[in-house]
Structures are given as structure tokens and as C-alpha cells.
Amino acid sequence: MNTDLPVVSVIIPTHNRCSSLKRLLQSLEKQTYSLENLEIIVVADGCDDDTLQMLDTYKAPYRMNFIAQRGQGAAAARNKGVEFAKGSLLIFLDDDTEPSEGLVEAHRLAHDNNQNSVVIGYLPPKLNITSSFFHNNLRAWWYEKFYRMSLPEHRFTYEDLLSGNFSLPRMLFNKIGGFNAIFPCREDYELGARLIKSGIDFYFVKDAMAYHRDTVTDLDRSLVRKREEGRGDVMFGRCHQDLIFQLNLSHFGDAISWRRKTLLNLVFRFPGLFDGIAFGLRSLLQFFEHFRMRGHWQRLYNRLLMYWYIRGLRDEFHNYHAFLNFLEDNRIQKSTKRNKLIIDLKKGLLEAEKSLDLNRPDSLFLCWAGIPVGYLSYQPGAERIRSPHLRYVLKTTFAYRLIQSMAIDLAYHEGEHRVDDARDIIKVKFQGMNYGEDKAI
Amino acid sequence: MPTAVLDLELTKIPEKIEGLNNYTHAFILIRLKGTALGKKVLPVYNGRLNRKEIKDQLIEAAGWPLWEHWLSDYLDLERSLKELVLPSATVAVCTRDRPDDVKRCLESLMKLPDDGQEMIIIDNCPSTDRTFHIVQEYPRVKYIREDRPGSSAARNRALKEASHEIVAFTDDDAAPETGWLRALLRNFDDPRVLCVTGQVMPLKLDNKAQEWFELYIPLGRGFQKMIYDGVSHNRFNVARIGVSANMALRKNIGSCIGNFDEDLGVGTPARCGEDHELFSRILAAGYKIVYEPQAVNWHRHRSTWRELRQTLFNYGIGVYAFWTRSLVVEGELGVMKLPFMWFFYEQLPNLMKSILKRPNSIPFDLLWMELAGCLAGPWFYLASRRRMKGAYRKPHQSGDVI
């Protein structure tokens, strides 16, 4: 290993968060990973507070470089940081995170075990305010997201790439083209979509933990952000037409009631008026929360979120008709060749799993001794099928159909070539199902 | 009609089950390879049950979960890639003047597989020291005496004294089975789960009082695992979640959302309701509660009719005390509609059926006791607050301590 070049580069985009950034840099000093192989690159994106002075005078035991640029957004900042990075492994951290001591080591280890993949770290929230409805929901959302990712049967999608704490090899980042800087938000999902589509595997590593010390996110900011998400989703749809119907904006297309359509038309035409109404309703939220009217609060909050999302759509399309055309133009997708695998479960699950891990198909057809059990169709934006997905799907979605197929197979073998009603078969044959001594009931 | 309580494993039902001469029915817990799947009450003739006759009925009664479990076992679907590491646990039993029950409970605790769990007994305001002497016979069990009255105070003491991450509670009159602790612990994998409740089965159903208890307010909540997520589940819809006779909590729940409210619970004027109140607070803060039907313990139901009436009276007080507490301490105006909903949708129809003497209607005096408890509930709660000399209990600020 060439000791002159760092092995790991940590890229931190920052914008006017001097004290958070300082706390982050200080906790990076305590990493268990050897600091001489570590390089930190901070990209100060349009900072007009003390950030630059602080970085200038900061004495670090690891290599640290910082770049100042005028405000161009986090995506552009990260791309810039990578240009200056020399390590072979890139770790992206947001400036409001507080990493644990083993973070870099955990990322490094995960990449040693899985070459050429993306590792997503654990980023549990540490919110300051903790007893408001909004913050309870926010905390629950974060924890639920990470819990799902930690389950072995989780099927990764482009939405799992969270830019606050993730890592990938520098060569992979450059090959995929880095972040798309035109996105105001959703730039992480967009990168995730490109990575997933090129067949790169995602891994979730719980040991690569950093606390997300979020003091800024609150209800108002979430509404503003929702508007940006509306715009981001439109841009996302333009870049990835095959994923349009997975986005929220597809719910505002033609298949809605005429009442809703009229309302949407009006919102597109008179945004100022509706903005005023939305601000008024926002104060109603506080009233609901004060009187602990949780159900009403939740419903109103969801409606407000939807409103601001639509406003974001309006920022991109100036009338509703143009938006509908956008959806319509992309409704019919060009079909591309997909990798489909057919598995006979009677030959054994271990065989099936080996076959899955070898082929990594996009879609899967399951049968039992030739009798169909189920079909896992192609899911755009999701990773290719792996063996843990099979067991989970057999336990849940396809359990009943699998048992049906097993019963039909048994009936066939016992000489009944005409299968009249699978239910009768199940009732009668199950009672005597005898697949070996210890399996009999 | 005395009912025998049996625990049958479908793959190992004996040819004939004898010795049931005093019973007219059998309450059977149906298992397959150790997993509890369902229950069924069957008539007993001539004091015995034959496998040929009952097997089909049991398979029918277990229903789809039986086949789901069979499939899972046959194809070895449960083998997961992630080795589940169970967290360390403390088993806590809160007791007061019930030395015989404590002895039975400790006997079954000794039969739990040793995973390094700590075991403690909280003796709450004892009038004799019989419990103390009984605990002395079990060196693995630690004895702690808590003189503040009330089951909530006792449980809070257990939470304070426990040295492991999870505290599993069982009542002194409920004896856990061998798989109990592991079944509870495996649900703490998700950091948002603060509480796991288990299933309570009746130990004996020898007389009418016990049977009506099991019929009207069964402590078990079904055989389906349920996950109650505070983000989507109404915080006052807690009656079906579980009971404090069989539950496990994270030790640091106090810093998260607060401990049991000491104005509620057995031993206080408010009688019970501390478990519903805790569940409600967990849901309100956006955390999860899991009901795990495989964590079974066997509860000795009250055997006299008088005790049953008293239990229902206490239950009515407890529910209304919990609602009063939520209103007074947390300012939850949402409780106002709950008494009406309960009355018009459940209590009143039951009362009418009972008055008109419909078949299988619940005895009128039980319903009346519950209703009387409801009416008395708020006053008893306020009396409890005065008696406990509780300073005004501020709603606890929740924290992220996961």
C-alpha cells in the first residue's frame, strides 16, 4: 500500500453550519481507523459565516483540505469534493452528523468484503425537540427506514441511498458520473437509480453509525422541502422515464375524480390565492396540536404536504395540461430485455437459492413440479432478486398458492388425474400428507 | 361445567387421554412443533379423549396458521441469514402476600433455559415475611422489598433495580412456560419497539367463575402476532394490546417516555389501568408495541364468584381512571368521547342481551359491577392522586434513548 496516498476520503459538503461542522471534525479525530490513511475534504458551499475561518485555523491530525465555492447546492459540492479526493474509497457525510468511532473502519471492512458496491451506513436521528407530533413522526420514519434495511429479506431500491452517510469506491463514482447537480433535492435518489440500474449491489451496515443531529428540520421546513421535492420528482421523471409511475406525481394524473381535477386546475392557475389558504391552514395545525387532536392534525398535515408538492409540480409545468401530457407521453414504455428465471421448488430450496445468487434475475417464476405457484414481476428501480428474497416471499405472498400446488402434485401422484377443486384436494389430502415420517401430521 | 386445561402437540397426541372424569369439557391449546396455533373447547365423554376423534377437529380449529407453520417448517423457511442475538434480560415478579402463587411462579422460572437472565422479586408492602423465606430457597433469585404501595411503584422499582437491558414482567399468579422469555426477547430487534406483550392462558377452569372470566375478559389476545405502531394506531385503542401480567419493557423506557404512573395500578385506589396508560403513552410518542402470542404464561384465574365481580369492578375503575389521568395530566380532550363509544357500542348491547336473557349472554351482575366501576372510576383516580400526595404530574418529555 502506498503510504503517501490516502486510502479513504471523507467528503463533507457544508453550508453555514460552523459549529456542527466543527463537532464533526472533532469526532473524526477519534476514529479507530488509522488517521494517516484518512483524508477529509470539506466543500464550503456558499458559506458566509465563520466556516472558512474555522477551517483555516483548524489543526487536524489527518489530512484535511477545504474548498470554497459559491452556493451551488449539495450535489455540486459533493462532486467538487470528489474531484480533489485521492482515496480509493469515498465516504460521504453530511455536516450535521456525529460519527461513532468505528464508522470509517466499518465502511472500509464492508468494502473489503463486497467489492464494487455501495454501502449505506446507519444514521439514527437525535432530534432536539422531542414531544411534538411532527418530530415523533419524523423520528419514527427514520428508524423504520433503517430497520427495514437491516432485515435480510429487504430488497434495496433507489430510495435507500441516503446521502448523509454512505460510501462507494471512487472508480465507481466516476464511472457512474457522480451526482447530477441540477437537482435541488432527490439527487441522492437519482444517483441511487443510476447505480441500481447498472446492477450495483447495496449493503446496509449498522456498525457504520453516525448520529444525525438534526436541529433544523421542523414542520415549516418540511413543507418548503416538499415543494422542492415536487420539482425534484419532475426532473427525476425526465431522467428516468421508467420510474415515473413509482413517483408521487403519478397520482395526480388522469385517474382522479373530476372534483380533484378541477381543484388541481385551479391551483395551477391561481397559485397565489391557494398559497394564502395554505398559510392559513398551517396555523390551524397548531390549534389541532394544542388540543391534541391527532387524527385531524395528521389529515391536515398530509393535505398541506400534498398541496406544496403540487406547487412544486407547478413550478416545473405552468399548466395542468402540460403536466398531464408529460405523464401521457411516458405511459407507454419501450420494453427492454429482462432477465427472467424459472425455478422448480420441488428440486429443493438450496438449489433454488444457489441458482438465484448465480443468475440474479430481474423477474422470477416459481412452480412446484411444474404447477405454477407465483410470479415476481420486474420491479423497476429495485435490485435484482437475491436468495433471501425467495424465502420471505414463500413465507408470505405465495404461501397459500405453494401449498395448493403441493396438494395438486400429491393428488396427481396418488392417481387422481382430474383435479376438480383444489380446496377439496387440500382438505382431504392434507390430512394424510405424508412427505416422510417426521413431517406427517 | 368444569373444564380441563390441556396443552397438546399435534404431532404427539397420545392415543387416549385419560383421567378427565371430573370434567365435562376440555380447553385445548393446540401446538405444532412447539408453536401455539389456536385453542378449542371440546366435550369430554366418559372421562377420556381419543386421538382419532379429536385430531381432525383440532386441525380444523387451528386453521390456516397451522398450514403456514407447517410449510415454514417443511421448507425450513425460518432459517434466516442474520443470527438473531437476543438482548440480555431481567425477569421481574411483583408480588404481595401470595406466597403459594410465588412458589409456583418461581418453580416455572427455574425451568427457563439459562441465557444469563437475572431474576428479581419485588415484594410490595408485605404483611408477613413468608415470601421472603420462600425466595431464600432460590439462590438465583434476588429479593427486593418495596414499601411504596401499588403495583406501579413495584414495577418502577424493578425497572430501576434491573441491571440488564430488557425487563420482563410476569405476575405472581402467572407461571411462564419454557419458551416465554426467548419469545418476548426476539421482538426487541427493532429499536422502535418499547414493549412486547405476551399471551396469558388459564391455568385451571374448574368452576363457573373462572370460565366466565375466560369468556368475558380473556387475558389472551389471540394467536396472531400484532404490531401496534404509534404512528398509525390510535393511542386510546389499547384494550386489545395486552396485559401487564405478561409483558417486557426496555429498561430505559423511563428516560424515553416515563415509567408507570404510580397513581394507577393494583394496590392504589385506582385499582388497575396502569398498563393501558403506559401503552397509550408509548403509542402517543410514536413507538411500537408488539403482541407476541408465543410468549405464553398460565394465569390462575380467581375462583370465587365474588372475586370475579370484584375484578370486573376494578377493571371498570381502572379504565376510567386511565382516561381521567390522560385528561388531567396530558390534556387529552380525545378521551371525552371514549366512555360514550364504549357504552353504546359494547356495554349497552351486552346489558340488553343479559336483561332479555338471550342465550350465552353475560351474567347481569358482572356487567353491572363493571359499569359501577366505570362510574366510580374518575373519583377513585382523584382520590388516588390525593392519597399518593403526588405533586402535579407533568407529562414526561420524551427523549431519543434508543
Side-chain angles (χ1 to χ4, degrees):
Chain A
M1 188 158 54
N2 186 347
T3 49
D4 279 342
L5 282 179
V7 179
V8 175
S9 299
V10 177
I11 319 268
I12 306 171
T14 181
H15 176 69
N16 287 343
R17 284 205 196 134
C18 185
S19 49
S20 283
L21 181 61
K22 187 159 182 186
R23 182 182 56 209
L24 170 57
L25 293 175
Q26 281 166 340
S27 47
L28 282 172
E29 288 179 24
K30 304 198 196 90
Q31 288 294 307
T32 53
Y33 187 75
S34 63
L35 297 177
E36 31 205 61
N37 289 332
L38 189 61
E39 166 189 57
I40 312 283
I41 300 180
V42 179
V43 183
D45 183 62
C47 286
D48 46 17
D49 65 347
D50 304 329
T51 307
L52 292 168
Q53 281 108 301
M54 189 273 288
L55 288 171
D56 229 348
T57 54
Y58 190 85
K59 292 210 179 350
Y62 38 68
R63 262 173 279 232
M64 187 176 83
N65 284 334
F66 68 92
I67 306 142
Q69 63 176 25
R70 60 180 179 79
Q72 289 169 44
R78 290 190 188 106
N79 284 343
K80 190 82 176 181
V82 176
E83 275 175 44
F84 286 82
K86 299 189 182 57
S88 58
L89 177 65
L90 302 172
I91 300 180
F92 290 93
L93 284 179
D94 271 355
D95 54 9
D96 54 359
T97 56
E98 189 184 322
S100 65
E101 288 175 351
L103 179 117
V104 177
E105 188 65 49
H107 275 289
R108 177 89 217 135
L109 191 64
H111 282 278
D112 281 342
N113 292 336
N114 308 298
Q115 307 295 331
N116 210 35
S117 51
V118 172
V119 170
I120 300 159
Y122 185 38
L123 198 58
K126 261 222 175 324
L127 310 169
N128 259 0
I129 309 165
T130 50
S131 56
S132 79
F133 291 170
F134 172 73
H135 286 93
N136 285 343
N137 283 355
L138 183 66
R139 189 188 317 121
W141 186 87
W142 277 108
Y143 275 108
E144 187 67 22
K145 192 145 181 99
F146 287 117
Y147 176 61
R148 297 242 166 134
M149 276 204 260
S150 72
L151 295 173
E153 63 259 12
H154 176 77
R155 199 163 166 202
F156 283 95
T157 64
Y158 65 91
E159 288 184 344
D160 291 331
L161 187 78
L162 300 162
S163 52
N165 176 2
F166 81 102
S167 65
L168 78 175
R170 184 158 61 97
M171 281 204 327
L172 180 58
F173 186 85
N174 290 331
K175 193 166 93 158
I176 208 87
F179 285 96
N180 190 338
I182 60 166
F183 280 75
C185 66
R186 298 286 206 235
E187 73 279 4
D188 42 7
Y189 286 7
E190 200 276 326
L191 176 66
R194 268 182 287 136
L195 286 166
I196 286 257
K197 282 195 207 173
S198 23
I200 303 293
D201 278 334
F202 285 17
Y203 292 92
F204 172 66
V205 172
K206 203 156 178 190
D207 290 333
M209 185 186 77
Y211 282 113
H212 186 195
R213 290 198 163 266
D214 189 354
T215 50
V216 182
T217 307
D218 65 354
L219 207 150
D220 291 301
R221 204 177 130 91
S222 75
L223 293 173
V224 167
R225 218 187 123 81
K226 201 70 186 169
R227 184 176 178 172
E228 285 174 27
E229 282 178 21
R231 286 184 52 216
D233 273 359
V234 173
M235 290 189 213
F236 188 96
R238 289 194 181 120
C239 293
H240 298 274
Q241 279 99 359
D242 54 341
L243 294 176
I244 284 186
F245 288 90
Q246 307 240 342
L247 300 171
N248 272 336
L249 49 83
S250 61
H251 298 144
F252 299 109
D254 260 328
I256 58 178
S257 65
W258 65 266
R259 267 185 294 266
R260 266 212 177 174
K261 242 190 254 190
T262 322
L263 193 62
L264 274 170
N265 255 315
L266 288 174
V267 169
F268 269 73
R269 262 189 224 197
F270 307 113
L273 167 66
F274 284 91
D275 279 357
I277 299 178
F279 279 114
L281 291 175
R282 159 77 185 85
S283 12
L284 194 57
L285 271 182
Q286 263 159 330
F287 173 81
F288 285 150
E289 179 150 5
H290 180 73
F291 286 103
R292 322 290 288 170
M293 296 160 80
R294 220 167 257 98
H296 289 88
W297 183 94
Q298 191 66 53
R299 279 191 294 272
L300 180 58
Y301 178 60
N302 287 343
R303 294 229 156 83
L304 281 177
L305 280 179
M306 188 169 75
Y307 172 74
W308 286 108
Y309 186 79
I310 295 172
R311 276 297 268 120
L313 298 181
R314 196 212 171 263
D315 288 339
E316 289 288 315
F317 295 106
H318 290 285
N319 60 50
Y320 185 49
H321 202 66
F323 170 66
L324 284 181
N325 282 339
F326 167 71
L327 285 182
E328 211 36 56
D329 289 342
N330 291 302
R331 191 182 296 277
I332 298 177
Q333 307 277 342
K334 195 169 66 171
S335 101
T336 48
K337 196 117 180 53
R338 298 274 162 227
N339 187 1
K340 172 167 143 172
L341 188 64
I342 299 177
I343 287 189
D344 185 349
L345 292 166
K346 193 166 182 182
K347 298 211 176 86
L349 266 189
L350 289 171
E351 277 267 335
E353 291 189 330
K354 256 193 275 209
S355 172
L356 268 180
D357 280 334
L358 197 63
N359 290 306
R360 298 295 304 277
D362 293 309
S363 61
L364 184 61
F365 181 74
L366 296 168
C367 62
W368 177 273
I371 305 165
V373 169
Y375 182 58
L376 264 181
S377 52
Y378 167 61
Q379 207 181 319
E383 64 170 334
R384 300 161 298 154
I385 303 175
R386 284 182 291 129
S387 51
H389 305 148
L390 179 65
R391 272 179 206 270
Y392 179 71
V393 121
L394 288 180
K395 246 200 293 187
T396 52
T397 338
F398 295 141
Y400 183 68
R401 284 143 82 176
L402 178 55
I403 291 192
Q404 251 182 343
S405 304
M406 286 163 94
I408 293 171
D409 180 47
L410 183 64
Y412 187 83
H413 278 107
E414 297 213 340
E416 294 193 21
H417 291 260
R418 248 186 71 217
V419 177
D420 281 322
D421 186 347
R423 278 176 304 171
D424 285 338
I425 300 287
I426 294 170
K427 241 195 298 194
V428 171
K429 291 304 172 187
F430 269 172
Q431 317 262 354
M433 202 184 270
N434 201 353
Y435 274 70
E437 268 308 306
D438 56 319
K439 308 285 186 195
I441 294 182
Chain B
M1 353 168 281
T3 308
V5 175
L6 300 172
D7 184 347
L8 291 182
E9 165 64 61
L10 277 178
T11 52
K12 296 196 188 77
I13 304 178
E15 204 50 65
K16 283 191 197 320
I17 302 170
E18 305 270 351
L20 303 172
N21 296 49
N22 297 331
Y23 300 105
T24 56
H25 288 78
F27 175 102
I28 301 173
L29 175 65
I30 308 165
R31 288 187 197 261
L32 179 68
K33 303 270 172 90
T35 316
L37 294 169
K39 62 185 183 191
K40 180 106 181 119
V41 178
L42 292 176
V44 168
Y45 299 111
N46 293 332
R48 77 167 86 94
L49 286 170
N50 295 327
R51 177 167 79 193
K52 267 198 316 238
E53 291 163 356
I54 65 173
K55 187 163 163 183
D56 286 343
Q57 292 186 66
L58 292 181
I59 290 180
E60 209 40 72
W64 170 244
L66 168 66
W67 298 111
E68 215 169 30
H69 190 74
W70 176 88
L71 180 72
S72 211
D73 178 65
Y74 179 69
L75 293 176
D76 196 16
L77 293 176
E78 286 297 330
R79 181 170 62 84
S80 81
L81 297 172
K82 187 166 73 149
E83 278 306 315
L84 203 57
V85 175
L86 294 180
S88 56
T90 300
V91 178
V93 182
C94 300
T95 178
R96 183 180 183 186
D97 292 336
R98 286 213 275 237
D100 301 317
D101 285 330
V102 170
K103 186 138 177 85
R104 186 180 48 238
C105 186
L106 287 175
E107 280 299 316
S108 39
L109 284 181
M110 290 302 124
K111 298 200 186 93
L112 291 176
D114 189 2
D115 291 325
Q117 68 264 20
E118 179 193 15
M119 294 196 253
I120 58 181
I121 299 269
I122 312 281
D123 200 0
N124 189 242
C125 305
S127 52
T128 68
D129 53 3
R130 275 186 67 193
T131 311
F132 176 70
H133 289 304
I134 288 175
V135 176
Q136 296 306 103
E137 295 165 28
Y138 298 89
R140 276 173 68 192
V141 181
K142 192 165 132 184
Y143 176 88
I144 297 170
R145 184 176 164 138
E146 171 58 54
D147 282 317
R148 282 177 311 160
S151 63
S152 299
R155 292 206 179 98
N156 287 341
R157 182 72 187 275
L159 286 172
K160 197 171 92 166
E161 299 281 344
S163 48
H164 289 171
E165 204 185 318
I166 311 282
V167 183
F169 290 101
T170 175
D171 265 3
D172 49 3
D173 53 0
E177 54 154 29
T178 47
W180 172 76
L181 191 59
R182 284 185 178 164
L184 287 174
L185 293 179
R186 66 173 181 239
N187 290 297
F188 282 101
D189 192 33
D190 184 348
R192 274 209 303 142
V193 172
L194 288 189
C195 173
V196 179
T197 55
Q199 184 168 202
V200 180
M201 285 268 123
L203 188 63
K204 287 193 173 66
L205 292 171
D206 291 339
N207 58 43
K208 216 162 56 128
Q210 293 174 332
E211 283 166 13
W212 271 113
F213 185 83
E214 185 59 27
L215 207 61
Y216 185 43
I217 33 166
L219 296 179
R221 298 284 190 258
F223 289 86
Q224 184 86 336
K225 177 152 135 172
M226 301 289 287
I227 300 180
Y228 299 96
D229 191 338
V231 165
S232 51
H233 193 86
N234 183 339
R235 74 171 286 194
F236 288 111
N237 190 357
V238 291
R240 301 290 309 160
I241 292 184
V243 288
S244 54
N246 186 351
M247 68 195 249
L249 296 174
R250 287 191 191 269
K251 179 179 152 79
N252 57 12
I253 194 175
S255 33
C256 231
I257 55 155
N259 283 338
F260 286 98
D261 188 335
E262 300 192 0
D263 295 332
L264 299 169
V266 178
T268 64
R271 309 293 168 92
C272 70
E274 82 283 16
D275 44 3
H276 287 185
E277 201 277 315
L278 188 72
F279 296 154
S280 170
R281 255 187 293 138
I282 293 177
L283 293 178
Y287 292 101
K288 283 189 195 171
I289 306 176
V290 178
Y291 167 67
E292 171 61 78
Q294 303 305 324
V296 174
N297 69 8
W298 301 88
H299 178 262
R300 181 182 65 81
H301 294 343
R302 301 290 161 270
S303 46
T304 65
W305 195 255
R306 207 171 138 271
E307 281 174 307
L308 178 59
R309 285 163 48 111
Q310 188 67 28
T311 307
L312 279 168
F313 183 63
N314 294 346
Y315 181 69
I317 296 180
V319 173
Y320 272 59
F322 149 47
W323 289 342
T324 315
R325 188 251 185 217
S326 297
L327 180 61
V328 167
V329 174
E330 291 180 75
E332 285 277 352
L333 293 177
V335 299
M336 303 297 260
K337 65 173 191 279
L338 298 173
F340 300 102
M341 304 288 276
W342 191 20
F343 184 70
F344 285 111
Y345 283 102
E346 213 177 292
Q347 290 177 314
L348 189 59
N350 281 340
L351 274 171
M352 297 316 297
K353 267 194 263 188
S354 187
I355 291 173
L356 298 172
K357 299 224 187 342
R358 289 275 155 80
N360 284 335
S361 59
I362 300 153
F364 182 78
D365 58 344
L366 294 183
L367 293 171
W368 175 242
M369 289 305 279
E370 189 182 68
L371 208 50
C374 292
L375 293 172
W379 321 114
F380 276 65
Y381 170 68
L382 295 172
S384 187
R385 271 172 72 101
R386 274 199 304 276
R387 183 194 308 173
M388 299 295 165
K389 295 190 186 61
Y392 176 73
R393 303 245 192 266
K394 280 181 102 78
H396 193 97
Q397 292 293 319
S398 57
D400 326 278
V401 192
I402 299 178

